[in-house]
Amino acid sequence: MNAPTPSSGFDLAQPRHDWTLPEVEGLFELPFTELVFRAAEIHRRWFDPTELQISQLLSVKTGGCPEDCGYCAQSAHFKTGVGASKLMDAEAVIAKAREAKAGGAQRFCMGAAWRDLKDRDLPKVAAMISGVKALGLETCATLGMMTPEQAKALKDAGLDFYNHNLDTGPDYYDKVVTTRTYQERLDTLSAVRDAGLSTCCGGIVGMGETRRDRAGLLHQLATLPVHPESLPVNDLMPIAGTPLGESPDVGELEFVRMIAVARIVCPKSVVRIAAGRDRMSKSMQALCFLAGANSIFVGGRLLTTNTPDPNDDEALLADLKMRPMTSKVSETA
Ligand code: SAM
Ligand code: DTB
Ligand code: SF4
């Protein structure tokens, strides 16, 4: 199946929600330079390609998670050496957010190793969200599954974004996680949208999935009722002790293809190079930005693994003459 060409009579840069899986697979099959060129054209239609959205993560509750996600250092099912800690106090989180803002972060994302958010933890989580919001940062949280009522409570506390990844295509999901279903992920995403929160939803490459599974993930995202406002693409950080600790790397060009196809099928989403950036050269990151990536995590740390050294990121932006995103992200279709 050939991907549609610019001469096929419709505007490729307009968001569509009727992508078919063969169409998305067809994009992956394009010659590399053609794919990147198309993605770069679309990127320019919706964004200033010299601007990057800058996020910073903090693990507010680490380890001991009851879920068995085969990639995760924080699952209690695997011996990874990551210990379980309690939920941080709001004041400590707010202090970290203040440092992140001083370091140039625009959005502060609070992550917890939970299967789902418990009502007993809501007051503390709400307090950290309002405190971070009061600093003038965009707020994001990733706390596992949530009910519609909990999503509304977090919105009222000042939450802007909720991160909840589909992680891979629907056919591969149960090879990676057995303690929850794809449908449960989709249900939380519905609750998030219905509460008026912006969604941050993407996945991981390099888990032994096929290209069809990668296309399957992007097909799911592109056919959601609203495209995710943020779309993180994680390159698997192989964690010793997890079932995916020895998973072979997907390869640089395939990672760039994933970014480019994400840019094409979700043209107005902010596409992030999430995990794995610390192993990427400057030129690889530049290629990702050319292919439509326009967001990064900074600050030196993700949850249990690292981002590049902040000095290296400063040099990267200077070298590429890129700067933090100033324009307000346009509304997503
Ligand atoms: N527990 C919550 C959940 O699963 O939604 C929030 C935290 S969880 C660590 C957030 C995301 O981090 C996962 O959905 C996955 O995409 C990503 N992630 C976790 N471990 C990773 C790894 N080793 N390499 C790449 N991405 C990873
Ligand atoms: C996302 O897609 N990636 C981030 C954030 N959302 C929560 C997490 C990456 C975690 C990488 C592995 C670790 O640090 O433990
Ligand atoms: Fe738990 Fe999230 Fe890790 Fe899965 S990805 S084990 S839900 S912290």
Side-chain angles (χ1 to χ4, degrees), residues 65 67 69 71-74 111-115 142-145 162-167 180 185 202-205 232 234-239 242 275-276 303-305:
C65 183
E67 299 286 77
C69 311
Y71 47 81
C72 187
Q74 304 194 69
W114 285 329
R115 168 179 166 78
T142 181
L143 314 167
M145 293 185 260
Y162 196 75
N163 165 251
H164 202 65
N165 290 339
L166 289 176
D167 281 322
R180 58 168 184 258
R185 290 309 263 188
I204 311 180
V205 301
N234 294 277
D235 196 12
L236 177 74
M237 306 287 279
I239 308 287
T242 64
L303 296 173
T304 68
T305 64

mmCIF file of all heavy atoms in Angstrom, residues 65 67 69 71-74 111-115 142-145 162-167 180 185 202-205 232 234-239 242 275-276 303-305, ligand 1:
data_model
loop_
_atom_site.group_PDB
_atom_site.id
_atom_site.type_symbol
_atom_site.label_atom_id
_atom_site.label_comp_id
_atom_site.label_asym_id
_atom_site.label_seq_id
_atom_site.Cartn_x
_atom_site.Cartn_y
_atom_site.Cartn_z
ATOM 1 N N CYS A 65 6.048 -1.018 42.479
ATOM 2 C CA CYS A 65 4.782 -0.969 41.736
ATOM 3 C C CYS A 65 4.228 -2.382 41.521
ATOM 4 O O CYS A 65 4.965 -3.281 41.119
ATOM 5 C CB CYS A 65 4.993 -0.267 40.399
ATOM 6 S SG CYS A 65 3.459 -0.098 39.467
ATOM 7 N N GLU A 67 2.351 -3.468 39.182
ATOM 8 C CA GLU A 67 2.204 -3.828 37.769
ATOM 9 C C GLU A 67 3.447 -4.576 37.267
ATOM 10 O O GLU A 67 4.538 -4.424 37.830
ATOM 11 C CB GLU A 67 2.013 -2.558 36.924
ATOM 12 C CG GLU A 67 0.785 -1.766 37.291
ATOM 13 C CD GLU A 67 -0.510 -2.403 36.816
ATOM 14 O OE1 GLU A 67 -0.952 -3.375 37.464
ATOM 15 O OE2 GLU A 67 -1.085 -1.928 35.837
ATOM 16 N N CYS A 69 4.901 -4.388 34.063
ATOM 17 C CA CYS A 69 5.380 -3.836 32.787
ATOM 18 C C CYS A 69 6.825 -4.314 32.559
ATOM 19 O O CYS A 69 7.724 -3.982 33.355
ATOM 20 C CB CYS A 69 5.328 -2.314 32.825
ATOM 21 S SG CYS A 69 3.727 -1.703 33.403
ATOM 22 N N TYR A 71 9.289 -3.606 30.901
ATOM 23 C CA TYR A 71 10.389 -2.675 30.649
ATOM 24 C C TYR A 71 10.806 -1.905 31.895
ATOM 25 O O TYR A 71 11.794 -1.196 31.891
ATOM 26 C CB TYR A 71 9.970 -1.646 29.570
ATOM 27 C CG TYR A 71 8.588 -1.056 29.825
ATOM 28 C CD1 TYR A 71 8.412 -0.027 30.733
ATOM 29 C CD2 TYR A 71 7.466 -1.555 29.175
ATOM 30 C CE1 TYR A 71 7.152 0.488 30.990
ATOM 31 C CE2 TYR A 71 6.202 -1.042 29.419
ATOM 32 C CZ TYR A 71 6.050 -0.021 30.337
ATOM 33 O OH TYR A 71 4.808 0.474 30.596
ATOM 34 N N CYS A 72 10.026 -2.035 32.979
ATOM 35 C CA CYS A 72 10.116 -0.996 34.017
ATOM 36 C C CYS A 72 10.971 -1.369 35.219
ATOM 37 O O CYS A 72 10.798 -2.433 35.830
ATOM 38 C CB CYS A 72 8.710 -0.620 34.484
ATOM 39 S SG CYS A 72 8.732 0.796 35.606
ATOM 40 N N ALA A 73 11.860 -0.455 35.574
ATOM 41 C CA ALA A 73 12.759 -0.612 36.725
ATOM 42 C C ALA A 73 11.981 -0.604 38.038
ATOM 43 O O ALA A 73 12.502 -1.049 39.071
ATOM 44 C CB ALA A 73 13.772 0.536 36.722
ATOM 45 N N GLN A 74 10.736 -0.103 38.003
ATOM 46 C CA GLN A 74 10.019 0.145 39.258
ATOM 47 C C GLN A 74 8.993 -0.929 39.609
ATOM 48 O O GLN A 74 8.295 -0.830 40.612
ATOM 49 C CB GLN A 74 9.328 1.499 39.170
ATOM 50 C CG GLN A 74 10.300 2.621 38.843
ATOM 51 C CD GLN A 74 9.670 3.960 39.096
ATOM 52 O OE1 GLN A 74 9.418 4.325 40.238
ATOM 53 N NE2 GLN A 74 9.378 4.694 38.034
ATOM 54 N N GLY A 111 5.836 11.939 38.471
ATOM 55 C CA GLY A 111 5.537 10.537 38.153
ATOM 56 C C GLY A 111 5.498 9.675 39.399
ATOM 57 O O GLY A 111 6.333 9.833 40.293
ATOM 58 N N ALA A 112 4.532 8.763 39.453
ATOM 59 C CA ALA A 112 4.438 7.846 40.592
ATOM 60 C C ALA A 112 4.342 6.402 40.105
ATOM 61 O O ALA A 112 3.624 6.114 39.153
ATOM 62 C CB ALA A 112 3.219 8.180 41.449
ATOM 63 N N ALA A 113 5.031 5.512 40.802
ATOM 64 C CA ALA A 113 5.029 4.081 40.443
ATOM 65 C C ALA A 113 3.792 3.426 41.055
ATOM 66 O O ALA A 113 3.881 2.642 42.001
ATOM 67 C CB ALA A 113 6.308 3.422 40.939
ATOM 68 N N TRP A 114 2.662 3.797 40.523
ATOM 69 C CA TRP A 114 1.376 3.265 40.989
ATOM 70 C C TRP A 114 0.653 2.585 39.840
ATOM 71 O O TRP A 114 0.765 3.009 38.682
ATOM 72 C CB TRP A 114 0.469 4.417 41.466
ATOM 73 C CG TRP A 114 0.831 4.994 42.789
ATOM 74 C CD1 TRP A 114 1.409 4.356 43.842
ATOM 75 C CD2 TRP A 114 0.607 6.350 43.209
ATOM 76 N NE1 TRP A 114 1.563 5.232 44.896
ATOM 77 C CE2 TRP A 114 1.071 6.454 44.530
ATOM 78 C CE3 TRP A 114 0.057 7.480 42.598
ATOM 79 C CZ2 TRP A 114 1.003 7.640 45.260
ATOM 80 C CZ3 TRP A 114 -0.013 8.660 43.318
ATOM 81 C CH2 TRP A 114 0.457 8.739 44.645
ATOM 82 N N ARG A 115 -0.166 1.580 40.213
ATOM 83 C CA ARG A 115 -1.091 1.004 39.226
ATOM 84 C C ARG A 115 -2.221 2.001 38.975
ATOM 85 O O ARG A 115 -2.638 2.222 37.860
ATOM 86 C CB ARG A 115 -1.669 -0.304 39.767
ATOM 87 C CG ARG A 115 -2.838 -0.847 38.965
ATOM 88 C CD ARG A 115 -3.343 -2.168 39.548
ATOM 89 N NE ARG A 115 -4.638 -2.532 39.001
ATOM 90 C CZ ARG A 115 -4.827 -3.074 37.802
ATOM 91 N NH1 ARG A 115 -3.803 -3.303 37.014
ATOM 92 N NH2 ARG A 115 -6.036 -3.378 37.380
ATOM 93 N N THR A 142 1.784 11.723 36.091
ATOM 94 C CA THR A 142 1.612 10.377 35.541
ATOM 95 C C THR A 142 1.562 9.438 36.735
ATOM 96 O O THR A 142 2.569 9.158 37.377
ATOM 97 C CB THR A 142 2.708 10.041 34.485
ATOM 98 O OG1 THR A 142 2.465 8.733 33.986
ATOM 99 C CG2 THR A 142 4.135 10.186 34.993
ATOM 100 N N LEU A 143 0.327 9.016 37.067
ATOM 101 C CA LEU A 143 0.064 8.369 38.354
ATOM 102 C C LEU A 143 -0.655 7.036 38.177
ATOM 103 O O LEU A 143 -1.209 6.497 39.116
ATOM 104 C CB LEU A 143 -0.804 9.307 39.227
ATOM 105 C CG LEU A 143 -0.366 10.784 39.295
ATOM 106 C CD1 LEU A 143 -1.463 11.651 39.909
ATOM 107 C CD2 LEU A 143 0.919 10.944 40.100
ATOM 108 N N GLY A 144 -0.697 6.533 36.937
ATOM 109 C CA GLY A 144 -1.410 5.289 36.671
ATOM 110 C C GLY A 144 -2.867 5.545 36.308
ATOM 111 O O GLY A 144 -3.220 6.646 35.886
ATOM 112 N N MET A 145 -3.699 4.523 36.509
ATOM 113 C CA MET A 145 -5.106 4.660 36.101
ATOM 114 C C MET A 145 -5.843 5.622 37.038
ATOM 115 O O MET A 145 -5.474 5.766 38.203
ATOM 116 C CB MET A 145 -5.784 3.289 36.145
ATOM 117 C CG MET A 145 -5.225 2.345 35.106
ATOM 118 S SD MET A 145 -6.123 0.796 35.068
ATOM 119 C CE MET A 145 -5.055 -0.243 36.011
ATOM 120 N N TYR A 162 -1.972 15.169 31.608
ATOM 121 C CA TYR A 162 -1.833 13.865 32.258
ATOM 122 C C TYR A 162 -1.142 12.929 31.286
ATOM 123 O O TYR A 162 -1.569 12.787 30.139
ATOM 124 C CB TYR A 162 -3.194 13.290 32.675
ATOM 125 C CG TYR A 162 -3.033 12.168 33.678
ATOM 126 C CD1 TYR A 162 -2.702 12.435 34.997
ATOM 127 C CD2 TYR A 162 -3.172 10.836 33.294
ATOM 128 C CE1 TYR A 162 -2.518 11.416 35.926
ATOM 129 C CE2 TYR A 162 -2.995 9.808 34.220
ATOM 130 C CZ TYR A 162 -2.670 10.114 35.537
ATOM 131 O OH TYR A 162 -2.479 9.110 36.457
ATOM 132 N N ASN A 163 -0.029 12.327 31.733
ATOM 133 C CA ASN A 163 0.687 11.373 30.882
ATOM 134 C C ASN A 163 0.201 9.956 31.175
ATOM 135 O O ASN A 163 0.197 9.497 32.318
ATOM 136 C CB ASN A 163 2.195 11.455 31.148
ATOM 137 C CG ASN A 163 2.926 10.243 30.563
ATOM 138 O OD1 ASN A 163 3.399 9.384 31.300
ATOM 139 N ND2 ASN A 163 2.993 10.149 29.252
ATOM 140 N N HIS A 164 -0.226 9.295 30.122
ATOM 141 C CA HIS A 164 -0.670 7.897 30.245
ATOM 142 C C HIS A 164 -0.385 7.274 28.885
ATOM 143 O O HIS A 164 -1.084 7.536 27.911
ATOM 144 C CB HIS A 164 -2.168 7.899 30.576
ATOM 145 C CG HIS A 164 -2.650 6.640 31.218
ATOM 146 N ND1 HIS A 164 -2.233 6.217 32.463
ATOM 147 C CD2 HIS A 164 -3.541 5.701 30.809
ATOM 148 C CE1 HIS A 164 -2.844 5.091 32.777
ATOM 149 N NE2 HIS A 164 -3.639 4.757 31.789
ATOM 150 N N ASN A 165 0.650 6.469 28.807
ATOM 151 C CA ASN A 165 1.087 5.952 27.505
ATOM 152 C C ASN A 165 0.356 4.676 27.115
ATOM 153 O O ASN A 165 0.051 3.841 27.970
ATOM 154 C CB ASN A 165 2.590 5.666 27.539
ATOM 155 C CG ASN A 165 3.414 6.943 27.610
ATOM 156 O OD1 ASN A 165 2.928 8.018 27.253
ATOM 157 N ND2 ASN A 165 4.650 6.837 28.064
ATOM 158 N N LEU A 166 0.115 4.524 25.816
ATOM 159 C CA LEU A 166 -0.391 3.234 25.306
ATOM 160 C C LEU A 166 0.776 2.265 25.110
ATOM 161 O O LEU A 166 0.592 1.075 24.969
ATOM 162 C CB LEU A 166 -1.161 3.442 23.999
ATOM 163 C CG LEU A 166 -2.518 4.141 24.161
ATOM 164 C CD1 LEU A 166 -3.159 4.376 22.787
ATOM 165 C CD2 LEU A 166 -3.463 3.316 25.032
ATOM 166 N N ASP A 167 1.954 2.831 25.042
ATOM 167 C CA ASP A 167 3.235 2.092 25.059
ATOM 168 C C ASP A 167 3.567 1.282 23.809
ATOM 169 O O ASP A 167 4.685 1.317 23.344
ATOM 170 C CB ASP A 167 3.384 1.221 26.314
ATOM 171 C CG ASP A 167 3.800 2.075 27.501
ATOM 172 O OD1 ASP A 167 4.606 3.001 27.292
ATOM 173 O OD2 ASP A 167 3.308 1.857 28.617
ATOM 174 N N ARG A 180 -2.747 -5.418 33.279
ATOM 175 C CA ARG A 180 -3.835 -4.515 32.875
ATOM 176 C C ARG A 180 -4.026 -4.649 31.377
ATOM 177 O O ARG A 180 -3.166 -5.208 30.681
ATOM 178 C CB ARG A 180 -3.551 -3.058 33.274
ATOM 179 C CG ARG A 180 -2.276 -2.548 32.672
ATOM 180 C CD ARG A 180 -2.105 -1.046 32.790
ATOM 181 N NE ARG A 180 -0.899 -0.692 32.086
ATOM 182 C CZ ARG A 180 0.274 -0.413 32.676
ATOM 183 N NH1 ARG A 180 0.371 -0.393 33.996
ATOM 184 N NH2 ARG A 180 1.329 -0.131 31.944
ATOM 185 N N ARG A 185 -6.187 1.288 29.615
ATOM 186 C CA ARG A 185 -5.395 2.496 29.292
ATOM 187 C C ARG A 185 -6.298 3.495 28.563
ATOM 188 O O ARG A 185 -6.324 4.677 28.871
ATOM 189 C CB ARG A 185 -4.201 2.169 28.393
ATOM 190 C CG ARG A 185 -3.070 1.374 29.012
ATOM 191 C CD ARG A 185 -2.541 1.890 30.287
ATOM 192 N NE ARG A 185 -1.343 2.706 30.219
ATOM 193 C CZ ARG A 185 -0.665 3.102 31.312
ATOM 194 N NH1 ARG A 185 -1.072 2.767 32.525
ATOM 195 N NH2 ARG A 185 0.412 3.851 31.200
ATOM 196 N N GLY A 202 2.048 8.401 24.471
ATOM 197 C CA GLY A 202 2.923 7.866 23.427
ATOM 198 C C GLY A 202 3.310 6.459 23.776
ATOM 199 O O GLY A 202 2.478 5.685 24.251
ATOM 200 N N GLY A 203 4.577 6.128 23.547
ATOM 201 C CA GLY A 203 4.978 4.757 23.815
ATOM 202 C C GLY A 203 6.471 4.556 23.760
ATOM 203 O O GLY A 203 7.247 5.522 23.803
ATOM 204 N N ILE A 204 6.825 3.284 23.648
ATOM 205 C CA ILE A 204 8.240 2.877 23.704
ATOM 206 C C ILE A 204 8.567 2.098 22.442
ATOM 207 O O ILE A 204 7.756 1.286 21.992
ATOM 208 C CB ILE A 204 8.499 1.949 24.918
ATOM 209 C CG1 ILE A 204 7.916 2.548 26.203
ATOM 210 C CG2 ILE A 204 9.976 1.666 25.091
ATOM 211 C CD1 ILE A 204 8.133 1.667 27.441
ATOM 212 N N VAL A 205 9.733 2.324 21.879
ATOM 213 C CA VAL A 205 10.216 1.463 20.801
ATOM 214 C C VAL A 205 11.420 0.678 21.326
ATOM 215 O O VAL A 205 12.103 1.117 22.255
ATOM 216 C CB VAL A 205 10.598 2.252 19.518
ATOM 217 C CG1 VAL A 205 9.407 3.026 18.987
ATOM 218 C CG2 VAL A 205 11.789 3.173 19.755
ATOM 219 N N PRO A 232 5.040 11.511 23.587
ATOM 220 C CA PRO A 232 6.413 11.085 23.889
ATOM 221 C C PRO A 232 6.781 9.777 23.187
ATOM 222 O O PRO A 232 6.016 8.814 23.207
ATOM 223 C CB PRO A 232 6.392 10.876 25.414
ATOM 224 C CG PRO A 232 4.967 10.590 25.755
ATOM 225 C CD PRO A 232 4.105 11.255 24.706
ATOM 226 N N ASN A 234 9.595 7.054 23.539
ATOM 227 C CA ASN A 234 10.677 6.583 24.397
ATOM 228 C C ASN A 234 11.467 5.508 23.660
ATOM 229 O O ASN A 234 10.893 4.583 23.087
ATOM 230 C CB ASN A 234 10.103 5.947 25.673
ATOM 231 C CG ASN A 234 9.381 6.940 26.567
ATOM 232 O OD1 ASN A 234 10.010 7.643 27.353
ATOM 233 N ND2 ASN A 234 8.058 7.021 26.431
ATOM 234 N N ASP A 235 12.801 5.634 23.675
ATOM 235 C CA ASP A 235 13.651 4.546 23.211
ATOM 236 C C ASP A 235 13.906 3.709 24.469
ATOM 237 O O ASP A 235 14.353 4.265 25.486
ATOM 238 C CB ASP A 235 14.959 5.114 22.653
ATOM 239 C CG ASP A 235 15.703 4.083 21.813
ATOM 240 O OD1 ASP A 235 15.113 3.038 21.477
ATOM 241 O OD2 ASP A 235 16.875 4.335 21.497
ATOM 242 N N LEU A 236 13.585 2.433 24.416
ATOM 243 C CA LEU A 236 13.693 1.613 25.629
ATOM 244 C C LEU A 236 15.047 1.790 26.315
ATOM 245 O O LEU A 236 16.095 1.670 25.675
ATOM 246 C CB LEU A 236 13.502 0.124 25.296
ATOM 247 C CG LEU A 236 13.659 -0.816 26.498
ATOM 248 C CD1 LEU A 236 12.457 -0.736 27.420
ATOM 249 C CD2 LEU A 236 13.891 -2.257 26.055
ATOM 250 N N MET A 237 15.004 2.074 27.613
ATOM 251 C CA MET A 237 16.212 2.041 28.433
ATOM 252 C C MET A 237 16.243 0.618 29.000
ATOM 253 O O MET A 237 15.428 0.308 29.879
ATOM 254 C CB MET A 237 16.113 3.034 29.602
ATOM 255 C CG MET A 237 15.787 4.458 29.214
ATOM 256 S SD MET A 237 17.157 5.285 28.443
ATOM 257 C CE MET A 237 18.114 5.773 29.844
ATOM 258 N N PRO A 238 17.101 -0.247 28.485
ATOM 259 C CA PRO A 238 17.055 -1.635 28.964
ATOM 260 C C PRO A 238 17.492 -1.698 30.434
ATOM 261 O O PRO A 238 18.549 -1.184 30.788
ATOM 262 C CB PRO A 238 18.045 -2.368 28.058
ATOM 263 C CG PRO A 238 18.434 -1.395 26.990
ATOM 264 C CD PRO A 238 18.186 -0.028 27.519
ATOM 265 N N ILE A 239 16.649 -2.273 31.272
ATOM 266 C CA ILE A 239 16.916 -2.320 32.711
ATOM 267 C C ILE A 239 17.255 -3.758 33.101
ATOM 268 O O ILE A 239 16.424 -4.660 32.925
ATOM 269 C CB ILE A 239 15.662 -1.867 33.525
ATOM 270 C CG1 ILE A 239 15.111 -0.495 33.038
ATOM 271 C CG2 ILE A 239 15.959 -1.874 35.013
ATOM 272 C CD1 ILE A 239 15.916 0.721 33.392
ATOM 273 N N THR A 242 14.839 -6.898 34.325
ATOM 274 C CA THR A 242 13.489 -6.917 33.730
ATOM 275 C C THR A 242 13.485 -7.887 32.542
ATOM 276 O O THR A 242 14.545 -8.172 31.967
ATOM 277 C CB THR A 242 13.069 -5.518 33.210
ATOM 278 O OG1 THR A 242 13.958 -5.142 32.140
ATOM 279 C CG2 THR A 242 13.121 -4.464 34.304
ATOM 280 N N ALA A 275 12.576 8.964 26.729
ATOM 281 C CA ALA A 275 13.713 8.183 27.237
ATOM 282 C C ALA A 275 14.692 7.835 26.117
ATOM 283 O O ALA A 275 14.303 7.697 24.958
ATOM 284 C CB ALA A 275 13.203 6.905 27.895
ATOM 285 N N GLY A 276 15.949 7.700 26.480
ATOM 286 C CA GLY A 276 16.959 7.222 25.537
ATOM 287 C C GLY A 276 17.795 8.329 24.920
ATOM 288 O O GLY A 276 18.760 8.058 24.209
ATOM 289 N N LEU A 303 13.088 9.157 35.523
ATOM 290 C CA LEU A 303 12.533 8.629 36.786
ATOM 291 C C LEU A 303 13.623 7.867 37.528
ATOM 292 O O LEU A 303 14.057 8.282 38.606
ATOM 293 C CB LEU A 303 11.317 7.739 36.490
ATOM 294 C CG LEU A 303 10.134 8.484 35.848
ATOM 295 C CD1 LEU A 303 9.035 7.517 35.419
ATOM 296 C CD2 LEU A 303 9.544 9.530 36.801
ATOM 297 N N THR A 304 14.099 6.780 36.935
ATOM 298 C CA THR A 304 15.215 6.044 37.557
ATOM 299 C C THR A 304 16.455 6.095 36.668
ATOM 300 O O THR A 304 17.488 5.531 37.027
ATOM 301 C CB THR A 304 14.837 4.557 37.797
ATOM 302 O OG1 THR A 304 14.712 3.908 36.523
ATOM 303 C CG2 THR A 304 13.531 4.427 38.553
ATOM 304 N N THR A 305 16.340 6.693 35.501
ATOM 305 C CA THR A 305 17.473 6.790 34.564
ATOM 306 C C THR A 305 17.718 8.271 34.234
ATOM 307 O O THR A 305 17.001 9.148 34.739
ATOM 308 C CB THR A 305 17.195 5.986 33.276
ATOM 309 O OG1 THR A 305 16.076 6.575 32.613
ATOM 310 C CG2 THR A 305 16.887 4.526 33.574
HETATM 311 N N1 SAM B 1 3.008 4.183 36.645
HETATM 312 C C1 SAM B 1 2.522 5.080 35.686
HETATM 313 C C2 SAM B 1 2.182 4.434 34.368
HETATM 314 O O1 SAM B 1 2.680 3.365 34.080
HETATM 315 O O2 SAM B 1 1.425 5.043 33.617
HETATM 316 C C3 SAM B 1 3.440 6.262 35.441
HETATM 317 C C4 SAM B 1 4.940 6.067 35.364
HETATM 318 S S1 SAM B 1 5.535 5.052 34.038
HETATM 319 C C5 SAM B 1 7.212 4.827 34.529
HETATM 320 C C6 SAM B 1 5.532 6.146 32.637
HETATM 321 C C7 SAM B 1 6.066 5.657 31.323
HETATM 322 O O3 SAM B 1 7.470 5.591 31.364
HETATM 323 C C8 SAM B 1 5.659 4.286 30.842
HETATM 324 O O4 SAM B 1 4.386 4.245 30.290
HETATM 325 C C9 SAM B 1 6.712 4.022 29.776
HETATM 326 O O5 SAM B 1 6.286 4.508 28.520
HETATM 327 C C10 SAM B 1 7.910 4.832 30.255
HETATM 328 N N2 SAM B 1 8.999 3.959 30.678
HETATM 329 C C11 SAM B 1 9.091 3.269 31.821
HETATM 330 N N3 SAM B 1 10.213 2.551 31.879
HETATM 331 C C12 SAM B 1 10.872 2.772 30.709
HETATM 332 C C13 SAM B 1 12.097 2.302 30.155
HETATM 333 N N4 SAM B 1 12.863 1.437 30.802
HETATM 334 N N5 SAM B 1 12.465 2.759 28.944
HETATM 335 C C14 SAM B 1 11.683 3.623 28.269
HETATM 336 N N6 SAM B 1 10.508 4.095 28.744
HETATM 337 C C15 SAM B 1 10.106 3.667 29.948
#
